[in-house]
Amino acid sequence: MTDTAPQTGGLDAEDDKLLVLARGAMGRTGGSSGAAVRDTDGRTYAAGPVELRALTLTALQAAVAAAISSGAEGFEAAVVIGASFHDAGIAAVRELSSSGKIIFADRNGAVYDTVGAEASQ
């Protein structure tokens, strides 16, 4: 039997929850990416990419939009799966939270990079 559990890179419980939510959003939408954010009040939002003729959002942009439309004023952390370091959603996170942690993981959930002021803690 092969172990298919993702390597979370030592994430704390709250960040691991974001990883699980992002993977779930990716699975539900059948997309190539997923994202989840945690606002400064501790609420979480997850989304997959939106690809319509009238609206196109990356998964991270969609998660940020869901949070902002629900009243979020800033972000503690974000997890993005299957996206590049150039994802347009990063700018959206940074617009409200210059030091919020952004965790990057591959489609299997393995963390490969973390950026942000809290990343080294």
Side-chain angles (χ1 to χ4, degrees):
M1 185 168 147
T2 304
D3 182 6
T4 59
Q7 299 301 312
T8 61
L11 296 179
D12 66 27
E14 292 299 310
D15 292 343
D16 190 53
K17 176 182 173 183
L18 288 179
L19 180 66
V20 169
L21 291 171
R23 290 187 80 204
M26 183 177 69
R28 279 190 307 280
T29 63
S32 60
S33 62
V37 296
R38 182 175 58 250
D39 71 12
T40 53
D41 291 329
R43 297 174 297 190
T44 57
Y45 307 86
V50 176
E51 297 174 1
L52 303 171
R53 285 189 298 266
L55 177 66
T56 301
L57 299 172
T58 68
L60 186 53
Q61 286 176 311
V64 167
I68 297 302
S69 69
S70 295
E73 296 180 359
F75 299 103
E76 292 178 353
V79 170
V80 61
I81 295 177
S84 77
F85 293 118
H86 304 291
D87 187 300
I90 295 168
V93 171
R94 291 290 179 239
E95 186 171 330
L96 292 178
S97 299
S98 62
S99 64
K101 179 176 15 180
I102 302 175
I103 300 163
F104 294 88
D106 66 19
R107 290 180 46 82
N108 294 320
V111 173
Y112 59 86
D113 203 358
T114 302
V115 296
E118 297 128 11
S120 60
Q121 292 182 358

